[in-house]
Amino acid sequence: MAIVTSKEMFKKAYDGGYAIGAFNVNNMEIIQGITEAAIEKHAPLILQVSKGARAYAKHAYLMKLIEAAIEDAEQTAGFDLPICVHLDHGDTFELCKSCIDGGFTSVMIDGSSKSFEDNIALTKQVVEYAHDHGVVVEGELGTLAGIEDEVNVDADNASYTRPEEVEEFVTRTGVDSLAIAIGTSHGAYKFTAAQCTRNEKGILVPPPLRFDILEEVSKRLPGFPIVLHGSSSVPQEFVKIINENGGKMPDAVGIPEEQLRQAAKGAVCKINIDSDLRLAMTASIRKYFAEHPDHFDPRQYLKPARIAIKDMVAHKLVDVLGCDGKA
């Protein structure tokens, strides 16, 4: 199967009450772990590449690795794995154009830091070029806090999506999906201690997502696919392993999985996950180094790291996104 757009994926997801996982990729082991989980669970998949990942691994390498994953699925599993390749947080028309010209089937143009009119103008420019080339576009209204790759927004500059703006934005830009801000946040430190409460184990409990905003957006845009960025859950078992093996990640906290599952049952058709991949991989590698201080072959520690990513993604596909068996 060739790389596909997310258009049909989102239609099925909206109607079926589930979401597609959009997992950020940087190297071979991450791509293998994600795609192997998707093959096992027969789940549609979005592999997304940030500006930073594209600079780190280079466009050509990532595309060839993704093509290899599709070929491997066909040859070893006899399974046509539907994969959409998406640019995460494109910040310029030129970057989006380069990804479109280079074979991406979906791009995000993030004009959320600009004025409403400037956001519309930039997004419309990308949409016109993308649609002329058979590529779909994700826009964004509202600004998420947090740090992830090239995205760095402090809490004071974060803002919730204004539901009264969404209809005009979608109509004037022609975007195919819309990322909104309802309380998710980028990175592994999504909330300060002051924003949270602590449970009986002393673990931070973040404030709930603003489902009222999501519901209002859904009413104004019936049938339209909504996207959640900054939706890693920061599993505490990974944080614990990292901290027990030389790491230092105090008070790292993410979005509760049950809230993401609730969002996926509604209008949210795409949920972005990046930090959880990094945590799974880092926890596995730190633990391996602690247990095998004499080992130095990268294959020795990257193999269990790849398995850790696969297991975590498989869990997300089934228990959070609900998209297993939907490919």
Side-chain angles (χ1 to χ4, degrees), residues 273-293:
I273 298 169
D274 186 5
S275 294
D276 287 355
L277 297 166
R278 303 179 185 194
L279 290 167
M281 189 170 208
T282 299
S284 173
I285 292 172
R286 279 192 175 275
K287 184 172 185 287
Y288 188 93
F289 281 158
E291 294 174 349
H292 305 279

Side-chain angles (χ1 to χ4, degrees), residues 25-292:
V25 297
N26 299 277
N27 64 12
M28 183 184 76
E29 286 77 16
I30 293 174
I31 291 173
Q32 288 175 326
I34 296 168
T35 55
E36 286 172 10
I39 292 167
E40 183 179 284
K41 300 302 179 183
H42 277 242
L45 191 60
I46 297 172
L47 296 180
Q48 55 185 27
V49 178
S50 67
K51 180 179 178 182
R54 197 165 175 259
Y56 168 77
K58 294 188 179 180
H59 181 103
Y61 281 90
L62 291 170
M63 290 301 292
K64 292 300 182 184
L65 285 169
I66 292 169
E67 290 170 11
I70 294 173
E71 182 179 338
D72 182 58
E74 293 171 348
Q75 292 182 351
T76 63
F79 175 47
D80 286 339
L81 178 64
I83 291 180
C84 171
V85 181
H86 175 76
L87 170 65
D88 187 26
H89 284 288
D91 55 357
T92 65
F93 171 78
E94 291 73 22
L95 175 58
C96 291
K97 180 180 182 299
S98 177
C99 290
I100 292 165
D101 294 344
F104 282 37
T105 51
S106 176
V107 296
M108 180 206 185
I109 179 63
D110 182 1
S112 61
S113 63
K114 302 180 183 297
S115 70
F116 184 67
E117 287 297 328
D118 286 347
N119 189 356
I120 286 177
L122 176 59
T123 304
K124 184 179 180 181
Q125 182 186 18
V126 172
V127 167
E128 289 174 349
Y129 187 83
H131 285 182
D132 283 345
H133 292 77
V135 172
V136 297
V137 180
E138 173 187 323
E140 181 166 0
L141 274 178
T143 307
L144 273 66
I147 300 173
E148 191 168 29
D149 275 7
E150 308 268 333
V151 180
N152 188 339
V153 179
D154 62 43
D156 291 338
N157 290 320
S159 61
Y160 290 115
T161 299
R162 294 165 54 87
E164 60 270 24
E165 294 179 340
V166 297
E167 293 163 284
E168 181 181 357
F169 184 83
V170 168
T171 299
R172 290 177 60 187
T173 61
V175 289
D176 302 282
S177 62
L178 182 66
I180 64 172
I182 61 170
T184 56
S185 178
H186 292 293
Y189 299 91
K190 298 183 183 298
F191 307 97
T192 65
Q195 293 174 296
C196 304
T197 57
R198 290 189 184 271
N199 64 17
E200 64 280 0
K201 296 180 181 179
I203 297 172
L204 294 179
V205 179
L209 298 181
R210 290 287 304 274
F211 282 99
D212 57 321
I213 294 176
L214 175 59
E215 290 170 7
E216 182 61 27
V217 169
S218 303
K219 289 178 184 176
R220 292 171 179 267
L221 296 173
F224 193 80
I226 301 302
V227 175
L228 289 187
H229 284 245
S231 296
S232 284
S233 298
V234 188
Q236 292 303 298
E237 63 266 29
F238 296 149
V239 175
K240 184 172 185 288
I241 291 170
I242 289 169
N243 289 338
E244 287 175 347
N245 291 280
K248 190 175 182 182
M249 296 189 67
D251 291 340
V253 63
I255 308 300
E257 290 186 339
E258 61 272 16
Q259 292 189 38
L260 296 173
R261 184 71 193 99
Q262 181 181 341
K265 290 179 180 179
V268 173
C269 296
K270 173 176 176 275
I271 292 180
N272 289 14
I273 298 169
D274 186 5
S275 294
D276 287 355
L277 297 166
R278 303 179 185 194
L279 290 167
M281 189 170 208
T282 299
S284 173
I285 292 172
R286 279 192 175 275
K287 184 172 185 287
Y288 188 93
F289 281 158
E291 294 174 349
H292 305 279

